């Protein structure tokens, strides 16, 4: 539909239709309600032309303006005006339309809005200025210029624009609206407004006994309440048409006024202006209210959608009676159907018993001290499910009194809590795996003692400490006597068991600070931190005796030979192990099952 209007604006048919309508209404207005100066009570062509120039595309304005100029000139000539006067009046009507159009389309070509209070006031002022300019030009052309003529012209064309333009705009918006069509109920409603206005206007204007001019105004108010801007404008137009006809017929309460015909026309025009000022601003305010309500409803809907996606709800505690309001998402978080929220004490009881005291204390402190609060707690739903929530709020005051209330947000963080727990478990498992890997990398798989790598690292560490001034360590290197014979006679399985038995027995003879490890095969190393040679000999003897005394059914008794070495200032792990190894072979050469101290 909008595209059809656009095409009509650029085709010759559009200007032709405007010219015909302009000419017909101009002739009808001059015939029906003629004043002493040949001026009608209302000039509808001005409203038609202004509405057209505001609706059509900017580039097509001049085409319609030219069509209206031709129609106006023809109507004035037909009514008997001379060419100079007809041309002057036509120029005045054309200029008024162009002035109003420029003022109303000055912002990027946007159309004026009659459902916006500022738009209506702008329209009111712009048409008044345009009508004033037109009246001044017409007064210069008129054969009988004067203040009365200017006032009559101004009121006539101004009313034409004020009353007709909004009606055409409303019809245009309905015709091109892509959102919805006028329903049958709305059509019936508008028809009822027309019928009611016809009855009220006929009762008022087609009798001259009672001054009932207030009756149409009451009906127009009803029309605005029932039909909005369109209903109000239609009702006013009906009053204009029937009132103008009654004025032409010499009927109506206006003739109760003892004054000239010109004064009666001016009074009627003032009456129509009063209807406009009374009805249309109210219609605009009602439309603005409806628009605000729709916008608010849409924002609330979008807010509810956003809260549902984010699992965040908002709540407030009324300042006057501490009644609770919950948004829909708060009900969903609590697992409750939407309806009346519980009282404050009952809402706190919905939390986990272990969290209720903390929640209650936070709310009471916020109400008394005014400090914002935030806490994380558990909700227990009616089905027993537990939800973790984060709540934050702060104190607010009533706009009309000093009563204190609260406003806050609640967020379901159950998934985040579960994710944190899973992440923590995964981190702990990773730490345990890392510890196990490190232990595996530094442990002998058979005996469970430190392996060769761990022994060398630990010995290097103690030697660095000794170089830095700490006490010197000693080491004991020992192996199992005749272990090859054990493997050959009893088998490697028994040999492995013997290795484990020797490792366990040797460890029993050590201190908590000592480290024993399997160096390779049947060879073991003991590192004795902060131990001199004398103490090292005592510990080595204790280890030898423990091994010799260890017994196990099905396993042979074995002994060990031990070499002891105390570190010196220049020792490395290689050198001290080498000296202990020499001492070990000295012990074996001396008969085994004994120990020797390296020189």
């Amino acid at each position: 539909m909008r595209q059809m209007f656009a095409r009509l604006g650029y085709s010759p048919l559009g200007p032709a239709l405007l010219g015909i309508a302009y000419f017909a209404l101009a002739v009808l207005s001059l015939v029906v309600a003629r004043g002493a100066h040949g001026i009608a009570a209302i000039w509808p062509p001005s409203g038609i032309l202004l509405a057209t120039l505001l609706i059509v595309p900017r580039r097509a304005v001049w085409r319609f303006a030219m069509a209206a100029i031709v129609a106006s000139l023809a109507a004035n000539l037909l009514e008997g005006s001379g060419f100079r006067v007809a041309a002057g009046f036509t120029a005045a009507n054309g200029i008024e339309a162009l002035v109003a159009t420029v003022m109303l389309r000055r912002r990027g070509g946007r159309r004026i809005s009659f459902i916006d209070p500022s738009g209506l006031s702008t329209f009111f002022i712009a048409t008044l200025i345009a009508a004033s300019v037109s009246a001044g030009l017409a007064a210069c052309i008129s054969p009988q210029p004067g203040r009365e003529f200017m006032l009559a012209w101004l009121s006539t064309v101004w009313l034409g624009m004020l009353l007709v333009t909004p009606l055409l705009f409303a019809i245009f918006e309905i015709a091109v609206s892509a959102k919805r069509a006028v329903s049958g109920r709305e059509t019936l409603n508008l028809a009822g407004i027309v019928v009611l206005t016809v009855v009220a206007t006929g009762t008022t204007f087609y009798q001259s006994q009672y001054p009932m001019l207030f009756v149409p105004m009451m009906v127009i108010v009803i029309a605005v309440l029932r039909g909005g801007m369109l209903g109000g404008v239609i009702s006013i137009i009906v009053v204009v048409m029937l009132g103008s006809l009654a004025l032409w017929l010499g009927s109506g309460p206006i003739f109760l006024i003892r004054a000239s015909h010109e004064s009666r026309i001016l009074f009627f025009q003032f009456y129509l202006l009063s209807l406009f000022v009374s009805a249309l601003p109210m219609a605009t305010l009602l439309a603005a209210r409806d628009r605000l309500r729709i916008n608010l409803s849409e924002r609330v809907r979008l807010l509810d959608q956003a809260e549902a996606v984010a699992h965040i709800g908002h709540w407030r505690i009324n300042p006057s009676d501490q009644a609770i309001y919950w948004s829909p998402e708060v009900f969903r978080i609590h697992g409750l159907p939407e309806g009346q929220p519980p009282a404050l004490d009952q809402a706190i009881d919905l939390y986990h018993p272990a969290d209720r005291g903390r929640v209650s204390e936070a709310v009471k402190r916020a109400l008394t001290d005014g400090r914002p609060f935030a806490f994380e707690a558990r909700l227990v739903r009616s089905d027993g499910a537990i939800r973790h929530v984060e709540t934050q709020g702060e104190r607010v005051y009533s706009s009309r009194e000093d009563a204190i209330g609260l406003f806050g947000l609640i967020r379901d963080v159950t998934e985040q809590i579960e994710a944190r727990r899973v992440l923590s478990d995964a981190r702990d498992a990773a730490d345990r795996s890392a510890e196990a890997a490190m232990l595996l990398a530094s442990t002998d798989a058979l005996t469970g003692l430190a392996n060769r790598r761990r022994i060398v690292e630990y010995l290097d560490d103690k030697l660095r400490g000794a170089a830095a001034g700490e006490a010197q360590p000693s080491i004991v290197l020992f192996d199992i006597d005749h272990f090859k014979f054990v493997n050959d006679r009893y088998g490697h399985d028994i040999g492995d068991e013997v290795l484990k038995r020797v490792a366990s027995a040797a460890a029993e003879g050590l201190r908590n600070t000592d480290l024993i490890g399997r160096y390779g095969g049947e060879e073991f190393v003991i590192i004795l931190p902060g131990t001199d040679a004398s103490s090292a000999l005592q510990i080595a003897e204790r280890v030898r005796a423990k091994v010799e005394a260890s017994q196990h059914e099905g396993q042979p008794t074995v002994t060990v030979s031990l070499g002891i070495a105390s570190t010196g200032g220049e020792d490395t792990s290689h050198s001290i192990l080498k000296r202990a190894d020499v001492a070990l072979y000295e012990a074996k050469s001396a008969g085994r099952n004994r120990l020797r101290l390296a020189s």
Side-chain angles (χ1 to χ4, degrees), residues 237-255:
I237 293 297
V238 171
V239 174
V240 170
M241 293 172 58
L242 296 182
S244 297
L245 181 59
L247 184 64
W248 182 64
L249 296 174
S251 174
I254 292 177
F255 285 92

Side-chain angles (χ1 to χ4, degrees), residues 142-164:
S142 174
Q144 298 176 340
R147 184 170 59 88
E148 292 80 5
F149 177 86
M150 285 187 60
L151 182 60
W153 182 285
L154 185 150
S155 59
T156 300
V157 298
W158 190 27
L159 282 172
M161 290 185 286
L162 286 181
L163 299 179
V164 178

